[in-house]
Amino acid sequence: MHYVKAGSILSAQNGMNLYRGCTHGCIYCDSRSKCYNMNHDFEDIEVKENAIELLRESLRSKRKKCMIGTGSMTDPYIPLEENIQNVRKSLEIIYEYGFGVTIITKSDRILRDIDLLKKINDRSKCVIQMTLTTYNEELCKKIEPNVSTTKERFETLKIFRDAGIPTVVWLCPILPFINDTEENINGIIDMCIEAKVYGIICFGMGVTLREGNREYFYRQLDKNFPGLKEKYARTFGNRYVADSPKNNELMELFHRRCEEHGIVHDNDAIFAYLNTFEDKFGGEQLSLFDL
């Protein structure tokens, strides 16, 4: 872990990354790609020491309320968050100024902050986004070794369901020759049905491989799936997108089952929902004194 002083915290789309780098060890992580110019070891987490002050300044000066997002590049609930608590501090500020929030994570550590997330959702809007890649617990431990298992994430989704907080699942990546099976897709969708998720984001059955993350992915294939790296190299070469040979049939299954169970499965519609701020109190100014 190391600290840096940031010049800003919110992107033009009102997203923020409180940390850069991750210790979850997911074998397919695109954030390892060289195009993101991360000039330090991926597991050496970069902490923005002035993130909380920058967020307060940004939200105080905004003319319109909106959704604030986090987790697109680095899971905000990595282990060091337990001590640093920048996510929780950020949620307090988001609540104080009456904004909405959406968080992408694979960790059940998010349950630590369910009290604040419920308060935000009661007054504006909170959406929890959770990645699910395989319903098989043993496979999950191989491809996502240092993070909450699928079962733990599923239980987390149900807790948010019972708390009245909407959820969205990212069904990705689906790794060719590993988890691209009808059994896996059905297993994940069954979980989503039971958890009553609002929608499932899926860009296709496959994985993206760029310089930086491809090399790490291949090393992990050698470690956990001997011989599979060579099959990937023969099948996909240096392509950016490695689509499953079963893409068409699995996507048909995905869309059909979502449609049957009333789960939103149009990516554009889901992103529009995630980006739409809702003010349940007609513009009332919120205060931390109400916490």
Side-chain angles (χ1 to χ4, degrees):
M1 180 185 73
H2 65 280
Y3 288 90
V4 298
K5 193 159 188 174
S8 61
I9 191 62
L10 290 182
S11 70
Q13 293 75 38
N14 297 306
M16 63 178 178
N17 285 295
L18 299 165
Y19 309 114
R20 292 193 78 200
C22 188
T23 53
H24 284 164
C26 302
I27 70 172
Y28 50 75
C29 183
D30 179 68
S31 294
R32 292 180 181 272
S33 300
K34 287 188 177 180
C35 63
Y36 298 119
N37 299 313
M38 197 173 295
N39 299 316
H40 55 86
D41 289 340
F42 195 69
E43 287 77 15
D44 177 18
I45 310 300
E46 181 178 285
V47 181
K48 298 175 182 177
E49 63 182 350
N50 56 335
I52 304 307
E53 293 81 2
L54 289 173
L55 180 63
R56 180 177 291 280
E57 291 172 9
S58 295
L59 298 192
R60 184 190 293 128
S61 63
K62 276 191 176 293
R63 295 182 180 180
K64 284 187 176 182
K65 299 293 191 293
C66 62
M67 297 292 289
I68 306 298
T70 189
S72 60
M73 280 291 294
T74 294
D75 193 318
Y77 285 99
I78 50 181
L80 60 77
E81 164 62 18
E82 293 181 7
N83 295 322
I84 296 177
Q85 298 199 20
N86 270 355
V87 178
R88 184 164 183 89
K89 294 170 188 174
S90 297
L91 292 174
E92 290 171 345
I93 295 171
I94 288 168
Y95 178 80
E96 177 183 358
Y97 287 98
F99 286 76
V101 70
T102 182
I103 300 173
I104 305 174
T105 186
K106 294 188 184 91
S107 176
D108 62 4
R109 289 187 186 90
I110 193 173
L111 292 174
R112 178 202 66 185
D113 296 330
I114 194 169
D115 59 330
L116 272 170
L117 297 169
K118 286 174 67 175
K119 288 177 182 293
I120 292 171
N121 193 58
D122 286 344
R123 289 183 161 177
S124 53
K125 181 178 175 182
C126 171
V127 185
I128 305 306
Q129 302 177 63
M130 188 75 72
T131 300
L132 298 179
T133 60
T134 175
Y135 85 108
N136 183 299
E137 287 288 279
E138 293 309 309
L139 180 58
C140 177
K141 291 172 185 177
K142 285 185 177 182
I143 65 177
E144 299 157 340
N146 304 321
V147 69
S148 301
T149 66
T150 299
K151 182 179 179 181
E152 290 166 338
R153 289 176 236 172
F154 175 45
E155 294 302 319
T156 300
L157 287 169
K158 290 192 290 182
I159 290 171
F160 281 114
R161 174 200 65 193
D162 295 342
I165 296 175
T167 57
V168 165
V169 161
W170 286 72
L171 180 58
C172 64
I174 299 300
L175 308 174
F177 319 123
I178 296 177
N179 61 342
D180 58 339
T181 65
E182 288 191 11
E183 181 182 23
N184 185 48
I185 302 307
N186 277 321
I188 292 172
I189 293 176
D190 286 344
M191 291 178 176
C192 293
I193 293 167
E194 185 174 344
K196 297 183 179 180
V197 305
Y198 172 85
I200 304 176
I201 294 170
C202 181
F203 291 99
M205 303 295 167
V207 61
T208 58
L209 296 173
R210 290 190 267 208
E211 184 182 6
N213 82 308
R214 179 187 285 108
E215 291 79 4
Y216 183 81
F217 179 64
Y218 279 179
R219 288 197 299 273
Q220 300 310 306
L221 290 185
D222 278 340
K223 177 181 175 182
N224 295 297
F225 306 95
L228 197 52
K229 177 182 73 175
E230 290 74 19
K231 188 172 184 179
Y232 264 77
R234 289 194 307 269
T235 306
F236 306 113
N238 288 324
R239 286 184 232 163
Y240 167 51
V241 179
D243 285 322
S244 166
K246 303 175 184 177
N247 177 71
N248 290 343
E249 60 195 81
L250 293 179
M251 286 302 292
E252 190 280 329
L253 171 65
F254 163 70
H255 288 301
R256 174 171 52 80
R257 293 214 61 203
C258 286
E259 192 69 25
E260 289 171 351
H261 293 276
I263 297 173
V264 180
H265 52 105
D266 177 87
N267 293 340
D268 290 339
I270 297 172
F271 285 123
Y273 170 73
L274 292 171
N275 290 320
T276 301
F277 173 77
E278 297 175 14
D279 189 341
K280 298 172 183 175
F281 284 81
E284 177 185 356
Q285 181 65 43
L286 308 178
S287 169
L288 270 177
F289 291 110
D290 295 324
L291 280 168

